[in-house]
C-alpha cells in the first residue's frame, strides 16, 4: 500500500481538538470550550460528542482517567459555539472517583443556560483485573468492505439537515439494517455498523462515548421518520479498546408511551466487549 | 378463600411508611427522613429501597409524579437511622422535569456524609400515549406456586448477615436460577422470580425502583460468593404496573475487569414491560 495517509493520534486529532476544554484560571473545576459545528447531525450537535467533551472535563477534574459509568441528561439543545463545563468532585476514592458536571451555553443576555447534566464514576481501565467471564458474543455482520457508507445511499435521508457529523466519522452500516434508506425498514429495531473516526484516530474511553451514539436511530429501522431526541444516556466503559475499527450493535426492543430505549454494544477488533450503553429517547411521531 | 388478610394500599403500607420524607420547614427541596433497618440485607440497606426513598423526595420536589429514567450513584454505605435528602429542580418542562438529589447521613460530629447521588427525569406515566411496539417477551418461568421462597432454601445463604429485607418482600425464585443455594449454580448469570411486597401493597413507579434491585445477585448464579456492591443503577419506568405480582428477570452477560452489569426487566401480570434497569456492580472476589 503506497502513500497511505498518516493517521491521527490520540491527543492530536479532529476529535481531540473539538473536545478540548481549557481550565478557567482561578476557578477550579470550571472549563471553557467551544462546541464545534462539525459534529452536527440534522439540526443538533451529536449527543455522544457532547458527552465526550464533558467526559474530558471530568477526566481533568478527577484523579482517575477513565469513565467507567457515565450518565447524561440532555436538557436543552446545544448549538455550535462557546460553552462552559462546571465540574464537581463528588467523592474521591483510591481506585475510583465520582464526579458531576454541567454543560452550559449562553442566552442573548449572556446568562448561562444548562444544556446537559452528567454524573459519572471514573477509574483506571488499565488497573482493572484481567479476568473475563462473558456470554456476550460480537454481532454477526459482514466485513467492513461489504458494509455501506452514507455515500452508498440515495440522496437525502429520512430527515433533512446537516450531515457534517458524517464527515467526521468512518461509519459503514450492515446492509441488513439499511433498508430504511430505500423505504424498506426491517421492522426489527436494529442498527449495526463498523465505526471509526475519519482521520483514523485510534479509540480510547472518550471516543467510545461517541461510538455509542453515532449510528442512525433504530427508530428508522422500525419505519419511523423524524427526530429521536435523547433524554438520558448511560454508558459503561468496560475495557480500553484495541487499535482498529469498532463494531457497534444497537437494538430497540420496546417502544411504548412515546418513548423507546436504545441498547448499544461496542466491540473491538479483538472481539472484546468494550462498552455497553442504554438511552431513553422520545420516539419520532412519523 | 375465607378471611384473607386485608391488603395494604399505596400510601398506607410498610413500604410507604419506610420511604416517608418530611419537607423541612423553611428549606425548600430539603427532606428529613429515617432509613429503616427493615430493608437491610446482609450488612447494607437495600439499594432499591434507598432509590425509592430518594425518588419519593424528587416526586415531591418536582411538578411531575413518576420517574421515567432515574440514575443513582452509590457513594458510601447507608445505615439505618436519620438521613436527609437535598433536591434540586434542574429543569422544569411542560410534560417532563429533571431533578437531582443527594442522600446524606451524619458522621460522629454531625456533619453530612453523602450516601448517594441521583439524577432523574420525571413525567406522568398516565399521560403518555398508549401505542406499544415491542419485540420483548416476558420471561419463561414457572407459576408462582412452583417457585421457591427463601424459606424453601437450606439454612444460611452464600453470604451471612441480616435477612430482614426478605421479611418485607414476597419473592419466589424460579428453581432454575436457585442452584447456587445448594452449591450448584447454573453458570449462566441469570436470576428470575415473582416479586411483591409482603403486605400486599400494589405496585407503582416507586416500588418498581425496589423491584429491580430485590433479587439475589446474578453473581451467585455465576458461582461467586460474597458482596456485589452497586456502583451505579439506572432504571427506566415504562408503564404504570397493573395490580398483581411482578415478574423480574435479571441477566449478567459480561463480567470483566472486576465489574459486571446486571440488566433487569420487570413485567406486570398483563404481560407488559413496566421497567428496565441496568446496574454496574463490583464482582465478588469469591
Amino acid at each position: 500500500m503506497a502513500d497511505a495517509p498518516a493517521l491521527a493520534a490520540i491527543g492530536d486529532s479532529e476529535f481531540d481538538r473539538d473536545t478540548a476544554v481549557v481550565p478557567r484560571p482561578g476557578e477550579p473545576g470550571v472549563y471553557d470550550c467551544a462546541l464545534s459545528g462539525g459534529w452536527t447531525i440534522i439540526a443538533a450537535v451529536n449527543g455522544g460528542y457532547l458527552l465526550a467533551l464533558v467526559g474530558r472535563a471530568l477526566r481533568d477534574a478527577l484523579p482517575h482517567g477513565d469513565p467507567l459509568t457515565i450518565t447524561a441528561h440532555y436538557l436543552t439543545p446545544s448549538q455550535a459555539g462557546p460553552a462552559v463545563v462546571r465540574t464537581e468532585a463528588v467523592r474521591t476514592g483510591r481506585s475510583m472517583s465520582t464526579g458531576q458536571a454541567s454543560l452550559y451555553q449562553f442566552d442573548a443576555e449572556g446568562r448561562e443556560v444548562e444544556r446537559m447534566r452528567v454524573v459519572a464514576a471514573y477509574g483506571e481501565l488499565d488497573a482493572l483485573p484481567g479476568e473475563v467471564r462473558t456470554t456476550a458474543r460480537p454481532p454477526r455482520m459482514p466485513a467492513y468492505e461489504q458494509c455501506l457508507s452514507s455515500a452508498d445511499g440515495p440522496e437525502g435521508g429520512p430527515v433533512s439537515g446537516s450531515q457534517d457529523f458524517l464527515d467526521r466519522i468512518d461509519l459503514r452500516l450492515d446492509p441488513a439494517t439499511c433498508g430504511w434508506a430505500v423505504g424498506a425498514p426491517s421492522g426489527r429495531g436494529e442498527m449495526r455498523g463498523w465505526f471509526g473516526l475519519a482521520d483514523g484516530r485510534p479509540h480510547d474511553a472518550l471516543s467510545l462515548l461517541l461510538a455509542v451514539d453515532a449510528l442512525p436511530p433504530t427508530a428508522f429501522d422500525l419505519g419511523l421518520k423524524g427526530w429521536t431526541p435523547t433524554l438520558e444516556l448511560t454508558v459503561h466503559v468496560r475495557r480500553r479498546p484495541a487499535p482498529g475499527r469498532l463494531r457497534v450493535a444497537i437494538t430497540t426492543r420496546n417502544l411504548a408511551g412515546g418513548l423507546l430505549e436504545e441498547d448499544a454494544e461496542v466491540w473491538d477488533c479483538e472481539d472484546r466487549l468494550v462498552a455497553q450503553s442504554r438511552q431513553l429517547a422520545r420516539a419520532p411521531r412519523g
Side-chain angles (χ1 to χ4, degrees), chain A residues 151-223:
Chain A
D152 296 317
E155 286 291 313
V159 184
S160 58
S162 170
Q163 304 292 318
D164 284 350
F165 179 64
L166 301 179
D167 296 332
R168 301 292 177 291
I169 61 175
D170 174 20
L171 177 66
R172 296 285 180 101
L173 293 179
D174 182 342
T177 67
C178 285
W180 53 270
V182 291
S186 84
R188 289 188 302 267
E190 297 176 351
M191 205 60 72
R192 284 185 297 276
W194 294 88
F195 177 77
L197 289 155
D199 60 10
R201 176 199 189 270
H203 288 288
D204 61 359
L206 291 180
S207 69
L208 290 178
L209 305 183
L210 180 70
V212 299
D213 195 39
L215 273 59
T218 52
F220 290 176
D221 189 52
L222 290 171

Side-chain angles (χ1 to χ4, degrees), chain A residues 262-274:
Chain A
E262 279 199 12
D263 277 9
E265 288 189 1
V266 185
W267 295 80
D268 72 7
C269 59
E270 295 179 353
D271 277 356
R272 300 182 309 186
L273 180 58
V274 292

Side-chain angles (χ1 to χ4, degrees), chain A residues 24 76 79 82-84 86 103-115:
Chain A
R24 189 182 283 182
T76 56
Q79 280 118 29
V84 59
R86 297 182 177 275
L103 175 72
Y104 299 92
Q105 292 192 294
F106 309 96
D107 69 10
E109 282 75 44
R111 287 178 299 233
E112 288 183 356
V113 178
E114 189 166 355
R115 297 296 189 218

Side-chain angles (χ1 to χ4, degrees), chain A residues 11-285:
Chain A
D12 181 17
S13 77
E14 202 161 45
F15 176 73
D16 294 282
R17 283 186 290 278
D18 287 350
T19 57
V21 295
V22 179
R24 189 182 283 182
E27 293 189 53
V30 181
Y31 300 85
D32 290 296
C33 55
L35 305 186
S36 161
W39 304 84
T40 301
I41 182 75
I42 317 302
V45 182
N46 174 263
Y49 161 72
L50 296 172
L51 187 58
L53 183 145
V54 173
R56 193 156 158 191
L58 277 169
R59 185 177 70 176
D60 189 83
L62 296 172
H64 298 98
D66 300 307
L68 302 180
T69 169
I70 184 164
T71 292
H73 282 252
Y74 295 87
L75 305 170
T76 56
S78 295
Q79 280 118 29
V84 59
V85 183
R86 297 182 177 275
T87 66
E88 174 196 356
V90 174
R91 177 180 173 273
T92 301
R94 191 179 51 80
S95 63
M96 205 174 288
S97 48
T98 306
Q100 177 174 315
S102 291
L103 175 72
Y104 299 92
Q105 292 192 294
F106 309 96
D107 69 10
E109 282 75 44
R111 287 178 299 233
E112 288 183 356
V113 178
E114 189 166 355
R115 297 296 189 218
M116 63 192 289
R117 185 160 295 207
V118 173
V119 183
Y122 275 57
E124 299 290 344
L125 287 173
D126 296 335
L128 297 177
E131 191 203 8
V132 178
R133 295 171 61 171
T134 190
T135 58
R137 295 287 166 267
R140 297 163 74 94
M141 50 188 279
Y144 174 83
E145 293 72 20
Q146 273 77 57
C147 288
L148 301 174
S149 79
S150 58
D152 296 317
E155 286 291 313
V159 184
S160 58
S162 170
Q163 304 292 318
D164 284 350
F165 179 64
L166 301 179
D167 296 332
R168 301 292 177 291
I169 61 175
D170 174 20
L171 177 66
R172 296 285 180 101
L173 293 179
D174 182 342
T177 67
C178 285
W180 53 270
V182 291
S186 84
R188 289 188 302 267
E190 297 176 351
M191 205 60 72
R192 284 185 297 276
W194 294 88
F195 177 77
L197 289 155
D199 60 10
R201 176 199 189 270
H203 288 288
D204 61 359
L206 291 180
S207 69
L208 290 178
L209 305 183
L210 180 70
V212 299
D213 195 39
L215 273 59
T218 52
F220 290 176
D221 189 52
L222 290 171
L224 300 170
K225 294 174 184 175
W227 190 236
T228 311
T230 304
L231 303 176
E232 176 265 319
L233 167 63
T234 296
V235 188
H236 295 178
V237 177
R238 303 299 302 272
R239 263 186 110 136
R240 189 174 306 288
R245 288 190 189 95
L246 301 171
R247 282 158 295 170
V248 183
I250 310 187
T251 310
T252 292
R253 299 174 65 222
N254 192 59
L255 185 160
L259 302 170
L260 55 83
E261 94 286 1
E262 279 199 12
D263 277 9
E265 288 189 1
V266 185
W267 295 80
D268 72 7
C269 59
E270 295 179 353
D271 277 356
R272 300 182 309 186
L273 180 58
V274 292
Q276 291 174 297
S277 76
R278 177 175 288 162
Q279 65 172 265
L280 188 67
R282 267 194 208 280
R285 286 156 210 249

